[in-house]
Amino acid sequence: MTTDTPLYLRVAEELRARIESGELTPGTRLPSVAELIQEYGGSNSVASRAYKLLVDDGLVVSRHGAGHYVRSTDSPELLVRQHRRRSEDSPFAQGAAEQGAVGTWRHESTTDRASEAVAARLAIAAGDAVMHTSYVYLADDKPVQLAESWEPLALTGQSLIALPEVGPYAGVGVAARMRVLGIEVGDPVERVRARQATRQEAQALGMTPPGPVLAVERTYYDQATGRPVESADVVMRGDRWVSVYGQVPGGV
């Protein structure tokens, strides 16, 4: 590097050297944009371009609203999505708690008309009334998962579970809510694929730049009748989740 080297490259290289030498250890919060400007001079764009370079190189992670951190090579923030029958609590909240994180979520529910795709998944007619709920799931206040859920109002509309996150059964999983109606749903059927996050998903999940996600099309069925009772599109950060199927014999 010389004095003719652009300032953002010099800033990036100094941070890179401190990371690679071990001076800045995995998980360390890096200086804010304002702190970098104070130390090196220049403008916001200098610090932002330096961090973008380090993020693109895989050395740094950007957390929306929380700053920049040294990336860990062994993914200490990895969350395990375990496929097993859970208690009455929210599967997300329980799973996060088992891994030492606090699981919370934001939600918005509205009545809607089923599109042809949603109607096919719920075995109802296009245009039938559904409850549509949008979720942003957070682990320790950091967004890690999104979901769009649909339930036929012909099934839930006259019950206490019509609004998934309001009332005496708010905050529990689909299985526990459907049990209020005398329906046992068992394990959901899921179709899982990996793809690149859309721009909107990346923004909601704090992914800069947009990266891979696990996209899950999930449907719960009434075990007695085979009727679909809830279907959802779940999107999980590919750098935060590993999905585990099956169980070791004996529960080990």
Side-chain angles (χ1 to χ4, degrees):
M1 293 282 176
T2 69
T3 55
D4 294 329
T5 301
L7 181 56
Y8 83 93
L9 285 178
R10 283 188 276 143
V11 173
E13 285 308 307
E14 288 194 23
L15 289 172
R16 183 194 306 277
R18 294 175 65 191
I19 292 171
E20 292 179 343
S21 71
E23 178 186 347
L24 295 173
T25 57
T28 299
R29 188 181 191 281
L30 296 169
S32 66
V33 168
E35 289 168 338
L36 284 185
I37 293 172
Q38 185 176 5
E39 182 176 354
Y40 293 97
S43 62
N44 281 4
S45 65
V46 168
S48 297
R49 291 179 71 185
Y51 274 137
K52 183 179 186 307
L53 187 61
L54 295 172
V55 169
D56 290 347
D57 287 347
L59 292 174
V60 169
V61 291
S62 174
R63 297 178 182 166
H64 183 65
H68 294 82
Y69 294 76
V70 179
R71 181 187 291 275
S72 173
T73 55
D74 58 1
S75 301
E77 297 181 339
L78 200 62
L79 293 166
V80 176
R81 186 170 185 259
Q82 191 79 20
H83 293 257
R84 63 177 186 270
R85 200 71 57 85
R86 296 196 181 276
S87 70
E88 301 296 297
D89 296 330
S90 159
F92 175 79
Q94 181 177 342
E98 289 172 355
Q99 298 170 69
V102 177
T104 57
W105 55 94
R106 300 191 293 265
H107 58 86
E108 182 178 0
S109 293
T110 57
T111 55
D112 202 352
R113 296 290 173 181
S115 66
E116 289 188 9
V118 169
R121 287 162 59 173
L122 290 175
I124 59 178
D128 279 1
V130 293
M131 183 63 69
H132 177 198
T133 305
S134 299
Y135 292 92
V136 178
Y137 291 91
L138 306 99
D140 292 336
D141 295 324
K142 301 177 182 64
V144 294
Q145 178 177 306
L146 309 173
E148 300 291 332
S149 167
W150 299 272
E151 295 176 354
L153 279 173
L155 176 67
T156 65
Q158 302 303 313
S159 70
L160 293 173
I161 68 166
L163 287 166
E165 300 297 332
V166 177
Y169 300 100
V172 301
V174 173
R177 291 177 54 250
M178 290 300 162
R179 200 168 292 124
V180 175
L181 302 179
I183 295 172
E184 291 293 333
V185 299
D187 295 325
V189 175
E190 297 188 341
R191 298 177 59 193
V192 184
R193 66 189 178 99
R195 61 170 172 79
Q196 197 74 1
T198 66
R199 188 172 183 178
Q200 184 177 9
E201 290 167 347
Q203 184 176 11
L205 289 169
M207 302 172 72
T208 307
V213 294
L214 290 176
V216 181
E217 182 183 298
R218 181 198 72 198
T219 303
Y220 279 96
Y221 294 86
D222 182 337
Q223 295 296 288
T225 65
R227 175 185 184 180
V229 298
E230 188 263 7
S231 194
D233 288 327
V234 182
V235 176
M236 299 175 288
R237 286 187 59 145
D239 61 341
R240 292 297 312 273
W241 287 96
V242 60
S243 195
V244 177
Y245 291 83
Q247 189 168 351
V248 177
V252 178

